[in-house]
Amino acid sequence: MTIAVRWMLAQPDLALELKGGAQGVGREITFAHATELLDPFRWLTGGEFILTTGIRLPSTQQKRGRYLRMLDAAGVAAVGFGTGLSYPEVPADLVAVADEIGLPLIEVPLPTPFAAVVKRVMSRLAEQEYEAVLRASRAQPRMTRAVISGGTAATVRELAIATSATVLLLDVAGRVLESSPQLPTDDVIDELRATLGGGASSSVTLARSGASIAMQQISVGRTPYGYLAVISASALSYVDQILLGHANSLLALDFEKPARLRATQDQLNSHALGLLLTEDRDPAPAWQQIRQAADGEGMIRGLTVLADTSDVAGRVGVEIAEFARELLGGVSRSDLRALRVGLSARRVVAALAVAVEQSQLCASAAEIGGEPLEFAALTGGVLLSFDSTREVLNTLAETMITPIEDYDRDNGTELLASLRAFLEANGHWEAAAITMGVHRHTLRSRMAKVESLIDCRLEVARVRAELLLSIIARQS
């Protein structure tokens, strides 16, 4: 991360003033440091914004000029000269040398502490670091989505956008497979190809044009699939290098996918052949395959889809297999209106058959075009979910419930409501009486009347069960 000298000059609260070396205001600052050493050159790495009050500057113009030239030779980005202490103003001879060599010479007025200048530089560098990390955190998910939805071309395009550079994908022979935003000139591609091979998994070279070429080999294990290269005006930042590595990993997985699919198919074929050739038909390989569908707790769920017409079943069959986890999320609305879907409870893998039976039962009871019916929602209402069962219960209700309804209507009583409360309380008088808000003796009298109307005995559990189902079928 760097800061242009002109950016520092644009900070009004620091009141910095350019005195010489105006042609160098585009230089990049990487660090700010105050020093009064006469020979700090050996400790400089380039890009520094050196701050000095000149307290130990040589007395002759020639030696002061040499000091400034040595700083420039060490790669210093700019020199900040503090006035008001050793010197009331920046020496004119230093200004002349700065103009000559193009090294920005900046006056730092006495009210501006060197610490404020250093802090501003370091704060801006820290902001850039954060911005770079934020940029990477946003670019990585985009590249991940790109490789899933658009494959290698989309991944290359996203990397080019994220790094503001030209990105190329080459095969192992050096042929360009993808490029973004555009294909470089032939001489740049030839330079890139010259860096391939040699056993190096990555390299950074400088093209004759001055561009930086960062290259990484795409491989899984010892199997190479190609190369990913980024061509930029300057060397990649560490964040750009992270993005390059992330894109490399995504492309490696994408290249490896066909091989993994073939391996899975080979494994399935092996298991099937083993089942056919084994005399005792050992199902262990099949169970091993099924266990791969279980969740982290070793549980599975059965899903059954019933279609009203065979053409809908044919269209939806593939979609169900591919998008079962999203519960028909990819099926068209028109097809959904012809489906009934059932989902079993979570079961251990060994109870696969039970899970399938549960899902089939739920599917047969589900509403056409409705939400998937889960087994938990079916509990307590299975019998009422089938038309044939409901028809029997409705017939029973005509015989057993209609006389009670007629009596209530003619006499203004609550025999049917009292009967349901009694049945749902499992024959407990006190609980049923509380539900109805009457005394238990009143409830007993009502139940006696019911027995006389329909000629039954409520102390028989089977009779109570049939009556309750009949009432529910009639009232639901």
Side-chain angles (χ1 to χ4, degrees):
M1 304 301 168
T2 61
I3 303 170
V5 173
R6 63 169 60 90
W7 185 88
M8 289 299 299
L9 292 169
Q11 306 305 301
D13 57 318
L14 296 179
L16 304 179
E17 183 179 351
L18 182 66
K19 290 298 184 178
Q23 61 268 44
V25 294
R27 294 191 182 193
E28 298 293 327
I29 299 170
T30 60
F31 190 71
H33 183 63
T35 179
E36 301 298 344
L37 295 176
L38 279 177
D39 56 349
F41 323 113
R42 72 187 75 178
W43 294 289
L44 301 177
T45 58
E48 291 89 355
F49 185 9
I50 294 298
L51 302 170
T52 180
T53 63
I55 191 172
R56 299 187 64 185
L57 279 181
S59 57
T60 66
Q61 293 184 7
Q62 181 180 3
K63 290 183 178 180
R64 287 199 296 266
R66 179 182 177 278
Y67 168 78
L68 210 57
R69 295 177 192 276
M70 291 293 288
L71 288 178
D72 182 56
V76 167
V79 175
F81 198 96
T83 57
L85 291 174
S86 304
Y87 291 84
E89 59 184 19
V90 180
D93 55 291
L94 287 181
V95 173
V97 174
D99 285 333
E100 177 187 342
I101 62 179
L103 176 63
L105 182 61
I106 301 170
E107 180 180 1
V108 183
L110 183 61
T112 302
F114 281 180
V117 177
V118 172
K119 183 177 180 180
R120 183 61 53 82
V121 170
M122 303 314 293
S123 295
R124 179 55 186 156
L125 291 174
E127 288 175 0
Q128 291 180 337
E129 292 278 355
Y130 175 75
E131 291 168 358
V133 172
L134 187 62
R135 175 169 59 88
S137 68
R138 291 172 175 170
Q140 286 179 320
R142 287 199 299 269
M143 282 193 286
T144 302
R145 290 191 294 270
V147 75
I148 294 173
S149 60
T152 56
T155 306
V156 168
R157 182 174 62 254
E158 286 297 334
L159 179 60
I161 294 173
T163 58
S164 300
T166 299
V167 178
L168 280 78
L169 175 63
L170 302 92
D171 63 12
V172 291
R175 292 185 291 266
V176 177
L177 302 177
E178 305 288 350
S179 64
S180 183
Q182 58 188 10
L183 191 66
T185 59
D186 291 341
D187 57 335
V188 174
I189 295 178
D190 290 340
E191 286 187 78
L192 174 59
R193 286 173 176 154
T195 66
L196 305 180
S201 60
S202 64
S203 64
V204 178
T205 57
L206 191 64
R208 286 188 293 270
S209 62
S212 174
I213 301 177
M215 183 277 300
Q216 287 188 3
Q217 184 182 66
I218 302 172
S219 60
V220 177
R222 296 184 179 181
T223 304
Y225 290 105
Y227 301 91
L228 184 61
V230 178
I231 304 174
S232 55
S234 58
L236 295 182
S237 67
Y238 81 93
V239 171
D240 290 333
Q241 292 172 4
I242 291 175
L243 293 175
L244 173 58
H246 182 65
N248 188 317
S249 299
L250 293 174
L251 291 171
L253 291 174
D254 192 66
F255 279 120
E256 180 70 5
K257 183 169 55 178
R260 287 187 284 111
L261 289 176
R262 286 194 300 271
T264 301
Q265 185 63 55
D266 290 343
Q267 184 182 26
L268 287 172
N269 293 342
S270 176
H271 287 167
L273 183 61
L275 287 173
L276 292 174
L277 297 180
T278 302
E279 292 184 0
D280 57 359
R281 298 293 190 269
D282 179 15
W287 283 116
Q288 180 181 352
Q289 190 67 31
I290 292 296
R291 288 189 183 94
Q292 298 182 30
D295 60 18
E297 298 177 354
M299 307 294 283
I300 60 172
R301 302 184 77 177
L303 179 72
T304 296
V305 179
L306 301 179
D308 277 4
T309 58
S310 59
D311 60 327
V312 173
R315 289 196 304 273
V316 175
V318 175
E319 297 179 42
I320 293 299
E322 187 176 355
F323 299 110
R325 291 183 182 177
E326 298 179 6
L327 292 179
L328 311 178
V331 181
S332 67
R333 291 185 177 180
S334 60
D335 285 343
L336 279 175
R337 287 194 288 268
L339 300 179
R340 290 183 291 171
V341 184
L343 188 63
S344 76
R346 296 176 72 244
R347 308 287 299 192
V348 295
V349 175
L352 172 64
V354 175
V356 172
E357 289 177 358
Q358 288 183 353
S359 67
Q360 291 174 336
L361 179 62
C362 291
S364 64
E367 294 183 11
I368 297 177
E371 293 293 321
L373 179 60
E374 298 193 40
F375 188 75
L378 193 62
T379 303
V382 176
L383 293 177
L384 297 175
S385 301
F386 299 95
D387 294 337
S388 58
T389 306
R390 182 178 286 274
E391 183 178 351
V392 172
L393 292 174
N394 284 333
T395 301
L396 181 62
E398 285 294 328
T399 304
M400 306 293 287
I401 306 303
T402 301
I404 303 174
E405 290 178 332
D406 292 343
Y407 187 89
D408 280 344
R409 184 181 62 252
D410 296 339
N411 297 277
T413 54
E414 295 181 306
L415 293 184
L416 186 58
S418 300
L419 175 60
R420 181 162 187 169
F422 174 72
L423 296 174
E424 291 184 338
N426 295 317
H428 294 289
W429 297 103
E430 193 67 34
I434 292 174
T435 300
M436 292 302 299
V438 298
H439 195 277
R440 63 179 180 275
H441 294 319
T442 302
L443 184 64
R444 286 181 183 274
S445 176
R446 291 178 180 179
M447 293 305 98
K449 184 61 177 177
V450 168
E451 289 179 327
S452 67
L453 285 173
I454 60 177
D455 192 20
C456 71
R457 296 172 57 193
L458 294 179
E459 68 268 19
V460 180
R462 179 177 56 80
V463 173
R464 294 199 301 271
E466 290 180 351
L467 284 174
L468 179 58
L469 288 173
S470 299
I471 294 173
I472 294 175
R474 173 64 66 88
Q475 296 181 347
S476 62

